[in-house]
Amino acid sequence: MGPVPRRSSLRSLTRWPLWAKPALAIVTALALGALLSGIDVSPQNPFSEFLFRGSADDARQLLATVTSTMITVTSLVFVLTVVALQIASTQFSPRLLRSFLRDSGTQVVLSTFVGTVAYSLAGLHTVGSQVDTGVDFVPRVAVSVALALALISVAMLVYYIQHITNSIRIDTIMSDIATLTLHVVRATMPPGQPDPALVVPPQRPPTAEVLTAPVSGYVQRIVPDPVAALALRDGATVVFTVMTGYHVVEGRPVGWVDGGSAGLDAYRRAVGDALVIDRERKIESDIGFGLRQLADIAGRALSPSLNDPYSAVQAIHHTTVVLTEMARRHIEPVRILDAGGAVRVFATEMDFVIHLQTVCGHIRWSMAHRPNVALALLLMLQNVGAETDDPARRAAISNEIRLVIDEAEQLGWHPAELTQVREAAARAGSAPQRR
């Protein structure tokens, strides 16, 4: 699997941080309020019948009321958002906070509220200013738009109550995680089974020199262009030993280079440009992070404090959807060759087997005396195994089936429960491949 395509990276940038859209709304509302406040509509205008008809004092009081009310409502929305964040982090997984902060529905609601406040303040600035005739000026258009924004804000408040309630439902959270992870799977993993010869990196010669991480953090993706341009021109071989989702430490190895005359410093600078590193993992580019969130939800649901095995089973169901899609696809490593067919740049991603072991291990260690969780896990392995004919993947699936049985036997389950688990394991191990 290569790096996330550029279009996916750009798409992730449209998921703005929480403050960005409200800040843009404030600037836009101030400009719009200042613009509309300067428009004077004569009584003869046919649109005059639909505009505000009160005096300057009425307009000033109305705009002040809208401003104070919307500030109160905005504070309420912030409180509800914080409560939702707290519930999501304590009950499901702390790794979900970033998704909530970047939720577009919440951002739109907050933008509407703060935009209405800013717009009303801009209108207040001009109400009652003297004109040449000595009559107080009433920005009828601006006040009418303020009324319309207030009504829209009321509708947005009702929407937000429904939205925030739905967003903290466990079914919604898991479905959103699975959908985002599936998007990354389909964008980065081509259909078909893996070719073992393509995923093997070049052998490291004794003369190779170490390439180190420029900063500490998590690898978001690898953009090979900076390194490829240098390696092809210089005749060197560069191999990345880190993958998306890895945590790297500044100054520690992330790969090696052999050959060429450009110098180690030049290659280290190129590697710094090639590695996109951030302080946290992001689901928009990291399949493993999405799967880990689902596994976290399952593990948290199986904790003694929650004791909600059904939610754990649901998390396994959503994980099955992702792993089944992955089983139909293969990792496409970065292999950049020169004119003679020699590998000049090599980078790969976490293998399907690693993801499978991480998910199954995390859930298996938490399942305790819950046969329904073991049965759901075995059904997942059955469905995933039916979608691949790769020997390494099928061997990993068989090993996970055996580990589930071993765990159940060590926990001392009831003989009838053990019989159910063994029968499910037999079905999972003998599941025919779907052609």
Side-chain angles (χ1 to χ4, degrees), residues 201 204 209-219 221-222 227 238-244 246-257 264 267-277 345-348:
R204 178 175 179 174
E209 296 185 272
V210 175
L211 298 171
T212 56
V215 294
S216 300
Y218 291 93
V219 178
R221 62 186 182 276
I222 300 175
V227 175
V238 178
V239 175
F240 290 90
T241 56
V242 296
M243 307 174 189
T244 299
Y246 273 34
H247 183 265
V248 297
V249 179
E250 182 179 356
R252 297 298 300 162
V254 294
W256 54 265
V257 58
L264 184 59
Y267 282 97
R268 286 182 174 175
R269 286 193 298 270
V271 166
D273 295 333
L275 289 176
V276 180
I277 300 174
V345 178
F346 181 89
T348 189

Side-chain angles (χ1 to χ4, degrees), residues 120-405:
S120 300
L121 288 174
L124 274 173
H125 180 69
T126 58
V127 173
S129 60
Q130 297 293 320
V131 293
D132 295 339
T133 59
V135 179
D136 285 345
F137 174 65
V138 180
R140 300 175 62 197
V141 175
V143 176
S144 300
V145 173
L147 279 172
L149 287 176
L151 293 175
I152 293 173
S153 297
V154 172
M156 294 299 287
L157 178 61
V158 175
Y159 160 77
Y160 181 75
I161 294 173
Q162 185 273 335
H163 174 75
I164 200 67
T165 304
N166 183 65
S167 64
I168 59 176
R169 291 175 58 245
I170 186 63
D171 301 278
T172 301
I173 292 173
M174 290 190 293
S175 178
D176 290 344
I177 294 172
T179 300
L180 285 172
T181 308
L182 276 174
H183 170 74
V184 182
V185 169
R186 289 165 179 162
T188 59
M189 296 183 67
Q193 296 302 292
D195 184 351
L198 295 179
V199 297
V200 178
Q203 290 292 325
R204 178 175 179 174
T207 56
E209 296 185 272
V210 175
L211 298 171
T212 56
V215 294
S216 300
Y218 291 93
V219 178
Q220 307 298 319
R221 62 186 182 276
I222 300 175
V223 182
D225 298 351
V227 175
L230 180 60
L232 289 172
R233 184 173 64 251
D234 202 33
T237 299
V238 178
V239 175
F240 290 90
T241 56
V242 296
M243 307 174 189
T244 299
Y246 273 34
H247 183 265
V248 297
V249 179
E250 182 179 356
R252 297 298 300 162
V254 294
W256 54 265
V257 58
D258 182 62
S261 58
L264 184 59
D265 290 340
Y267 282 97
R268 286 182 174 175
R269 286 193 298 270
V271 166
D273 295 333
L275 289 176
V276 180
I277 300 174
D278 201 352
R279 59 184 179 181
E280 61 178 337
R281 298 175 73 176
K282 297 179 180 179
I283 195 173
E284 293 89 355
S285 60
D286 189 347
I287 295 173
F289 188 51
L291 289 171
R292 185 55 193 257
Q293 286 184 3
L294 291 172
D296 279 352
I297 292 174
R300 189 67 64 91
L302 295 174
S303 65
S305 60
L306 293 181
N307 192 25
D308 183 13
Y310 179 67
S311 291
V313 170
Q314 285 183 295
I316 295 173
H317 292 163
H318 287 283
T319 305
T320 303
V321 175
V322 178
L323 288 176
T324 301
E325 184 68 21
M326 292 178 66
R328 302 178 184 134
R329 298 169 177 269
H330 67 277
I331 293 172
E332 187 176 45
V334 174
R335 287 173 55 91
I336 299 178
L337 312 179
D338 61 14
V343 177
R344 292 305 174 199
V345 178
F346 181 89
T348 189
E349 296 288 345
M350 288 189 190
D351 185 65
F352 169 86
V353 173
I354 298 176
H355 294 303
L356 181 73
Q357 292 171 343
T358 300
V359 170
C360 292
H362 190 78
I363 297 175
R364 189 178 63 249
W365 298 329
S366 306
M367 68 181 185
H369 191 89
R370 297 179 178 89
N372 59 333
V373 176
L375 294 174
L377 197 57
L378 290 169
L379 181 59
M380 181 190 78
L381 293 169
Q382 177 181 339
N383 290 326
V384 173
E387 297 295 334
T388 180
D389 57 5
D390 178 64
R393 293 181 176 184
R394 294 189 68 85
I397 292 170
S398 298
N399 184 60
E400 293 299 330
I401 294 172
R402 179 182 57 79
L403 289 174
V404 172
I405 298 176

